[in-house]
Tab-separated table of all heavy atoms in Angstrom:
chain	number	residue	atom	x	y	z
A	1672	THR	N	76.893	-114.668	18.226
A	1672	THR	CA	78.029	-114.164	17.302
A	1672	THR	C	78.618	-112.902	17.759
A	1672	THR	O	79.715	-112.523	17.389
A	1672	THR	CB	77.508	-113.966	15.851
A	1672	THR	OG1	76.452	-112.952	15.804
A	1672	THR	CG2	76.949	-115.329	15.280
A	1673	VAL	N	77.862	-112.098	18.615
A	1673	VAL	CA	78.318	-110.853	19.023
A	1673	VAL	C	78.558	-110.923	20.588
A	1673	VAL	O	78.756	-109.817	21.267
A	1673	VAL	CB	77.432	-109.656	18.654
A	1673	VAL	CG1	77.445	-109.593	17.156
A	1673	VAL	CG2	76.031	-109.836	19.259
A	1674	GLY	N	78.301	-111.991	21.275
A	1674	GLY	CA	78.492	-112.173	22.663
A	1674	GLY	C	77.441	-111.513	23.527
A	1674	GLY	O	77.691	-111.111	24.697
A	1675	ALA	N	76.287	-111.284	23.013
A	1675	ALA	CA	75.191	-110.551	23.689
A	1675	ALA	C	74.138	-111.582	24.253
A	1675	ALA	O	74.023	-112.662	23.648
A	1675	ALA	CB	74.466	-109.662	22.777
A	1676	ALA	N	73.436	-111.224	25.188
A	1676	ALA	CA	72.412	-112.072	25.842
A	1676	ALA	C	71.113	-111.710	25.069
A	1676	ALA	O	70.893	-110.524	24.761
A	1676	ALA	CB	72.259	-111.835	27.287
A	1677	THR	N	70.269	-112.722	24.893
A	1677	THR	CA	68.905	-112.472	24.132
A	1677	THR	C	67.918	-111.996	25.241
A	1677	THR	O	67.961	-112.320	26.404
A	1677	THR	CB	68.393	-113.754	23.580
A	1677	THR	OG1	69.487	-114.301	22.665
A	1677	THR	CG2	67.113	-113.544	22.824
A	1678	THR	N	67.029	-111.117	24.863
A	1678	THR	CA	66.079	-110.489	25.825
A	1678	THR	C	64.741	-110.818	25.255
A	1678	THR	O	64.321	-110.311	24.178
A	1678	THR	CB	66.348	-108.980	25.764
A	1678	THR	OG1	67.623	-108.728	26.240
A	1678	THR	CG2	65.387	-108.315	26.802
A	1679	TRP	N	64.030	-111.641	26.076
A	1679	TRP	CA	62.751	-112.203	25.681
A	1679	TRP	C	61.533	-111.327	26.241
A	1679	TRP	O	61.744	-110.697	27.376
A	1679	TRP	CB	62.513	-113.549	26.150
A	1679	TRP	CG	63.722	-114.482	25.804
A	1679	TRP	CD1	64.730	-114.721	26.657
A	1679	TRP	CD2	63.940	-115.033	24.640
A	1679	TRP	NE1	65.573	-115.605	26.030
A	1679	TRP	CE2	65.244	-115.836	24.653
A	1679	TRP	CE3	63.289	-115.157	23.267
A	1679	TRP	CZ2	65.717	-116.569	23.752
A	1679	TRP	CZ3	63.890	-115.828	22.316
A	1679	TRP	CH2	65.111	-116.642	22.407
A	1680	VAL	N	60.426	-111.205	25.499
A	1680	VAL	CA	59.307	-110.479	25.920
A	1680	VAL	C	58.062	-111.083	25.343
A	1680	VAL	O	57.955	-111.560	24.195
A	1680	VAL	CB	59.473	-109.031	25.633
A	1680	VAL	CG1	59.570	-108.794	24.118
A	1680	VAL	CG2	58.368	-108.154	26.074
A	1681	LEU	N	56.934	-111.091	26.137
A	1681	LEU	CA	55.601	-111.585	25.648
A	1681	LEU	C	54.613	-110.464	25.445
A	1681	LEU	O	53.729	-110.638	24.743
A	1681	LEU	CB	55.030	-112.592	26.742
A	1681	LEU	CG	55.772	-113.924	26.770
A	1681	LEU	CD1	55.247	-114.726	27.949
A	1681	LEU	CD2	55.457	-114.738	25.407
A	1682	SER	N	54.770	-109.312	26.182
A	1682	SER	CA	53.814	-108.312	26.039
A	1682	SER	C	54.445	-107.018	26.322
A	1682	SER	O	55.531	-106.942	26.924
A	1682	SER	CB	52.617	-108.489	27.096
A	1682	SER	OG	51.879	-109.711	26.738
A	1683	ASN	N	53.768	-105.931	26.079
A	1683	ASN	CA	54.224	-104.555	26.491
A	1683	ASN	C	53.059	-103.595	26.274
A	1683	ASN	O	51.918	-104.027	25.975
A	1683	ASN	CB	55.391	-104.090	25.863
A	1683	ASN	CG	55.397	-103.853	24.343
A	1683	ASN	OD1	54.308	-103.427	23.728
A	1683	ASN	ND2	56.460	-104.209	23.555
A	1684	HIS	N	53.277	-102.376	26.466
A	1684	HIS	CA	52.234	-101.328	26.373
A	1684	HIS	C	51.803	-100.910	25.117
A	1684	HIS	O	50.881	-100.130	24.804
A	1684	HIS	CB	52.696	-100.022	27.201
A	1684	HIS	CG	53.830	-99.412	26.473
A	1684	HIS	ND1	55.049	-99.983	26.470
A	1684	HIS	CD2	54.014	-98.194	25.808
A	1684	HIS	CE1	55.845	-99.174	25.782
A	1684	HIS	NE2	55.222	-98.064	25.273
A	1685	ASP	N	52.400	-101.489	23.980
A	1685	ASP	CA	52.140	-101.192	22.687
A	1685	ASP	C	51.366	-102.281	21.932
A	1685	ASP	O	51.001	-102.112	20.722
A	1685	ASP	CB	53.364	-100.885	21.840
A	1685	ASP	CG	53.977	-99.466	22.207
A	1685	ASP	OD1	53.133	-98.610	22.466
A	1685	ASP	OD2	55.182	-99.320	22.031
A	1686	ILE	N	51.303	-103.452	22.461
A	1686	ILE	CA	50.673	-104.572	21.633
A	1686	ILE	C	49.574	-105.268	22.524
A	1686	ILE	O	49.542	-105.110	23.720
A	1686	ILE	CB	51.733	-105.654	21.259
A	1686	ILE	CG1	52.485	-106.077	22.530
A	1686	ILE	CG2	52.717	-105.028	20.361
A	1686	ILE	CD1	53.519	-107.249	22.171
A	1687	VAL	N	48.763	-106.038	21.836
A	1687	VAL	CA	47.683	-106.725	22.529
A	1687	VAL	C	48.266	-107.795	23.558
A	1687	VAL	O	49.227	-108.406	23.293
A	1687	VAL	CB	46.746	-107.519	21.503
A	1687	VAL	CG1	45.799	-108.500	22.135
A	1687	VAL	CG2	46.063	-106.538	20.530
A	1688	ARG	N	47.707	-107.832	24.718
A	1688	ARG	CA	48.128	-108.584	25.802
A	1688	ARG	C	48.101	-110.096	25.385
A	1688	ARG	O	47.305	-110.558	24.478
A	1688	ARG	CB	47.165	-108.501	26.990
A	1688	ARG	CG	47.369	-107.228	27.809
A	1688	ARG	CD	46.680	-107.183	29.128
A	1688	ARG	NE	46.997	-106.066	29.958
A	1688	ARG	CZ	48.089	-105.984	30.816
A	1688	ARG	NH1	48.865	-106.948	30.870
A	1688	ARG	NH2	48.289	-105.034	31.587
A	1689	ASP	N	49.107	-110.876	25.898
A	1689	ASP	CA	49.389	-112.118	25.411
A	1689	ASP	C	48.198	-113.101	25.538
A	1689	ASP	O	47.910	-114.004	24.769
A	1689	ASP	CB	50.604	-112.772	25.983
A	1689	ASP	CG	50.569	-112.716	27.558
A	1689	ASP	OD1	49.751	-112.016	28.223
A	1689	ASP	OD2	51.347	-113.493	28.197
A	1690	VAL	N	47.425	-112.904	26.662
A	1690	VAL	CA	46.273	-113.812	26.830
A	1690	VAL	C	45.316	-113.675	25.713
A	1690	VAL	O	44.851	-114.646	25.093
A	1690	VAL	CB	45.502	-113.421	28.203
A	1690	VAL	CG1	44.092	-114.101	28.290
A	1690	VAL	CG2	46.335	-113.830	29.361
A	1691	THR	N	45.117	-112.486	25.240
A	1691	THR	CA	44.163	-112.250	24.069
A	1691	THR	C	44.858	-112.751	22.695
A	1691	THR	O	44.034	-113.367	21.977
A	1691	THR	CB	43.755	-110.851	23.905
A	1691	THR	OG1	42.971	-110.408	25.122
A	1691	THR	CG2	42.920	-110.597	22.703
A	1692	ARG	N	46.103	-112.564	22.606
A	1692	ARG	CA	46.703	-112.976	21.320
A	1692	ARG	C	46.652	-114.487	21.272
A	1692	ARG	O	46.206	-115.048	20.169
A	1692	ARG	CB	48.141	-112.541	21.287
A	1692	ARG	CG	48.382	-111.043	21.297
A	1692	ARG	CD	49.755	-110.703	20.745
A	1692	ARG	NE	50.818	-111.629	21.198
A	1692	ARG	CZ	51.582	-111.405	22.259
A	1692	ARG	NH1	51.271	-110.337	23.093
A	1692	ARG	NH2	52.502	-112.235	22.618
A	1693	PHE	N	46.870	-115.196	22.379
A	1693	PHE	CA	46.928	-116.556	22.325
A	1693	PHE	C	45.495	-117.233	22.258
A	1693	PHE	O	45.426	-118.463	21.865
A	1693	PHE	CB	47.585	-117.106	23.512
A	1693	PHE	CG	49.103	-116.845	23.492
A	1693	PHE	CD1	49.772	-116.632	24.724
A	1693	PHE	CD2	49.848	-117.133	22.355
A	1693	PHE	CE1	51.143	-116.244	24.679
A	1693	PHE	CE2	51.246	-116.933	22.343
A	1693	PHE	CZ	51.993	-116.455	23.534
A	1694	GLY	N	44.514	-116.448	22.610
A	1694	GLY	CA	43.085	-116.937	22.505
A	1694	GLY	C	42.410	-116.601	21.143
A	1694	GLY	O	41.216	-116.930	21.022
A	1695	ARG	N	43.108	-115.913	20.249
A	1695	ARG	CA	42.481	-115.728	18.978
A	1695	ARG	C	42.625	-116.832	17.984
A	1695	ARG	O	43.508	-117.673	18.131
A	1695	ARG	CB	43.163	-114.405	18.340
A	1695	ARG	CG	42.850	-113.160	19.008
A	1695	ARG	CD	43.233	-112.022	18.066
A	1695	ARG	NE	42.911	-110.698	18.583
A	1695	ARG	CZ	41.781	-110.081	18.595
A	1695	ARG	NH1	40.781	-110.689	18.105
A	1695	ARG	NH2	41.655	-108.793	19.118
A	1696	PRO	N	41.573	-116.979	17.079
A	1696	PRO	CA	41.742	-118.077	16.069
A	1696	PRO	C	43.014	-118.094	15.255
A	1696	PRO	O	43.464	-119.116	14.794
A	1696	PRO	CB	40.565	-117.837	15.194
A	1696	PRO	CG	39.549	-116.975	16.059
A	1696	PRO	CD	40.411	-116.207	16.911
A	1697	ASP	N	43.627	-116.952	15.087
A	1697	ASP	CA	44.781	-116.897	14.214
A	1697	ASP	C	46.113	-117.037	15.027
A	1697	ASP	O	47.169	-116.927	14.520
A	1697	ASP	CB	44.925	-115.501	13.399
A	1697	ASP	CG	45.086	-114.351	14.317
A	1697	ASP	OD1	45.130	-114.439	15.593
A	1697	ASP	OD2	45.220	-113.215	13.756
A	1698	ALA	N	46.007	-117.391	16.298
A	1698	ALA	CA	47.143	-117.520	17.118
A	1698	ALA	C	48.114	-118.615	16.688
A	1698	ALA	O	49.363	-118.523	16.696
A	1698	ALA	CB	46.757	-117.826	18.543
A	1699	ASP	N	47.628	-119.745	16.076
A	1699	ASP	CA	48.332	-120.794	15.542
A	1699	ASP	C	49.214	-120.423	14.321
A	1699	ASP	O	50.143	-121.086	13.972
A	1699	ASP	CB	47.497	-121.993	15.309
A	1699	ASP	CG	46.898	-122.599	16.559
A	1699	ASP	OD1	47.317	-122.148	17.705
A	1699	ASP	OD2	46.087	-123.482	16.390
A	1700	GLU	N	48.723	-119.359	13.652
A	1700	GLU	CA	49.386	-118.994	12.360
A	1700	GLU	C	50.240	-117.752	12.572
A	1700	GLU	O	50.892	-117.302	11.630
A	1700	GLU	CB	48.289	-118.663	11.281
A	1700	GLU	CG	47.569	-119.874	10.817
A	1700	GLU	CD	46.434	-120.413	11.680
A	1700	GLU	OE1	45.729	-119.507	12.204
A	1700	GLU	OE2	46.326	-121.567	11.816
A	1701	GLY	N	50.135	-117.099	13.723
A	1701	GLY	CA	50.944	-115.893	13.919
A	1701	GLY	C	50.247	-114.700	13.306
A	1701	GLY	O	49.151	-114.711	12.847
A	1702	ALA	N	50.902	-113.625	13.224
A	1702	ALA	CA	50.399	-112.393	12.748
A	1702	ALA	C	50.349	-112.397	11.273
A	1702	ALA	O	51.208	-112.556	10.585
A	1702	ALA	CB	51.280	-111.205	13.183
A	1703	PRO	N	49.139	-112.196	10.692
A	1703	PRO	CA	48.974	-112.210	9.188
A	1703	PRO	C	49.864	-111.158	8.606
A	1703	PRO	O	49.955	-110.001	9.143
A	1703	PRO	CB	47.502	-111.873	9.010
A	1703	PRO	CG	46.908	-112.359	10.255
A	1703	PRO	CD	47.876	-112.135	11.358
A	1704	GLY	N	50.586	-111.429	7.576
A	1704	GLY	CA	51.485	-110.469	6.946
A	1704	GLY	C	52.782	-110.299	7.657
A	1704	GLY	O	53.633	-109.408	7.273
A	1705	GLY	N	53.006	-110.998	8.840
A	1705	GLY	CA	54.276	-111.057	9.414
A	1705	GLY	C	54.448	-109.946	10.392
A	1705	GLY	O	53.852	-109.785	11.375
A	1706	ARG	N	55.419	-108.951	10.039
A	1706	ARG	CA	56.113	-108.323	11.177
A	1706	ARG	C	55.219	-107.267	11.978
A	1706	ARG	O	55.469	-107.183	13.116
A	1706	ARG	CB	57.060	-107.498	10.449
A	1706	ARG	CG	58.090	-108.354	9.596
A	1706	ARG	CD	59.547	-108.195	9.973
A	1706	ARG	NE	59.962	-109.047	11.042
A	1706	ARG	CZ	60.248	-110.311	10.867
A	1706	ARG	NH1	60.221	-110.817	9.727
A	1706	ARG	NH2	60.704	-111.009	11.918
A	1707	ARG	N	54.300	-106.586	11.446
A	1707	ARG	CA	53.601	-105.526	12.243
A	1707	ARG	C	52.092	-105.718	12.132
A	1707	ARG	O	51.558	-105.563	11.014
A	1707	ARG	CB	53.947	-104.175	11.703
A	1707	ARG	CG	54.865	-103.308	12.487
A	1707	ARG	CD	54.756	-103.210	13.945
A	1707	ARG	NE	53.845	-102.107	14.515
A	1707	ARG	CZ	54.007	-101.776	15.770
A	1707	ARG	NH1	54.891	-102.378	16.571
A	1707	ARG	NH2	53.225	-101.012	16.267
A	1708	GLY	N	51.328	-105.975	12.856
A	1708	GLY	CA	49.850	-106.117	12.563
A	1708	GLY	C	49.252	-107.460	13.018
A	1708	GLY	O	49.961	-108.184	13.773
A	1709	GLY	N	48.196	-107.818	12.404
A	1709	GLY	CA	47.625	-109.116	12.743
A	1709	GLY	C	47.204	-109.102	14.189
A	1709	GLY	O	46.783	-108.190	14.789
A	1710	HIS	N	47.623	-110.176	14.933
A	1710	HIS	CA	47.298	-110.337	16.324
A	1710	HIS	C	48.109	-109.507	17.311
A	1710	HIS	O	47.835	-109.578	18.510
A	1710	HIS	CB	47.280	-111.843	16.742
A	1710	HIS	CG	48.617	-112.436	16.832
A	1710	HIS	ND1	49.111	-113.309	15.855
A	1710	HIS	CD2	49.620	-112.368	17.644
A	1710	HIS	CE1	50.254	-113.745	16.190
A	1710	HIS	NE2	50.685	-113.056	17.246
A	1711	LEU	N	49.023	-108.743	16.838
A	1711	LEU	CA	49.762	-107.807	17.684
A	1711	LEU	C	49.040	-106.689	18.117
A	1711	LEU	O	49.350	-105.955	19.053
A	1711	LEU	CB	51.074	-107.405	17.060
A	1711	LEU	CG	52.169	-108.474	16.893
A	1711	LEU	CD1	53.553	-107.872	16.416
A	1711	LEU	CD2	52.411	-109.262	18.229
A	1712	HIS	N	47.979	-106.267	17.354
A	1712	HIS	CA	47.129	-105.029	17.502
A	1712	HIS	C	45.682	-105.455	17.694
A	1712	HIS	O	45.222	-106.423	17.075
A	1712	HIS	CB	47.473	-104.034	16.486
A	1712	HIS	CG	48.946	-103.629	16.483
A	1712	HIS	ND1	49.409	-102.706	17.267
A	1712	HIS	CD2	49.992	-104.132	15.837
A	1712	HIS	CE1	50.756	-102.540	17.155
A	1712	HIS	NE2	51.100	-103.452	16.187
A	1713	ALA	N	45.022	-104.596	18.454
A	1713	ALA	CA	43.658	-104.888	18.765
A	1713	ALA	C	42.788	-104.765	17.541
A	1713	ALA	O	42.996	-103.994	16.575
A	1713	ALA	CB	43.113	-103.964	19.833
A	1714	GLY	N	41.721	-105.612	17.467
A	1714	GLY	CA	40.762	-105.530	16.400
A	1714	GLY	C	39.532	-106.448	16.711
A	1714	GLY	O	39.572	-107.198	17.639
A	1715	PRO	N	38.555	-106.459	15.757
A	1715	PRO	CA	37.397	-107.281	16.078
A	1715	PRO	C	37.769	-108.671	15.910
A	1715	PRO	O	38.725	-109.027	15.335
A	1715	PRO	CB	36.416	-106.680	15.015
A	1715	PRO	CG	37.288	-106.228	13.950
A	1715	PRO	CD	38.511	-105.644	14.600
A	1716	GLY	N	36.822	-109.541	16.399
A	1716	GLY	CA	36.940	-110.936	16.271
A	1716	GLY	C	36.894	-111.724	17.484
A	1716	GLY	O	37.113	-111.123	18.610
A	1717	PRO	N	36.604	-113.025	17.553
A	1717	PRO	CA	36.269	-113.773	18.743
A	1717	PRO	C	37.677	-114.075	19.450
A	1717	PRO	O	38.801	-114.127	18.784
A	1717	PRO	CB	35.796	-115.139	18.186
A	1717	PRO	CG	36.276	-115.188	16.837
A	1717	PRO	CD	36.397	-113.850	16.262
A	1718	VAL	N	37.529	-114.169	20.681
A	1718	VAL	CA	38.730	-114.552	21.592
A	1718	VAL	C	38.242	-115.601	22.633
A	1718	VAL	O	37.316	-115.375	23.308
A	1718	VAL	CB	39.248	-113.289	22.314
A	1718	VAL	CG1	40.421	-113.680	23.256
A	1718	VAL	CG2	39.734	-112.208	21.365
A	1719	ASP	N	39.049	-116.697	22.714
A	1719	ASP	CA	38.755	-117.626	23.725
A	1719	ASP	C	39.694	-117.296	24.902
A	1719	ASP	O	40.895	-117.785	24.906
A	1719	ASP	CB	39.063	-119.060	23.195
A	1719	ASP	CG	38.681	-120.099	24.151
A	1719	ASP	OD1	38.724	-119.856	25.445
A	1719	ASP	OD2	38.515	-121.315	23.729
Side-chain angles (χ1 to χ4, degrees):
T1672 64
V1673 297
T1677 305
T1678 302
W1679 312 98
V1680 60
L1681 287 172
S1682 294
N1683 63 36
H1684 65 292
D1685 282 332
I1686 59 178
V1687 169
R1688 284 190 174 275
D1689 57 342
V1690 166
T1691 296
R1692 295 201 321 272
F1693 291 137
R1695 287 194 181 278
D1697 66 358
D1699 296 350
E1700 289 79 39
R1706 308 233 89 83
R1707 252 319 270 193
H1710 68 252
L1711 291 189
H1712 297 276
V1718 179
D1719 185 337

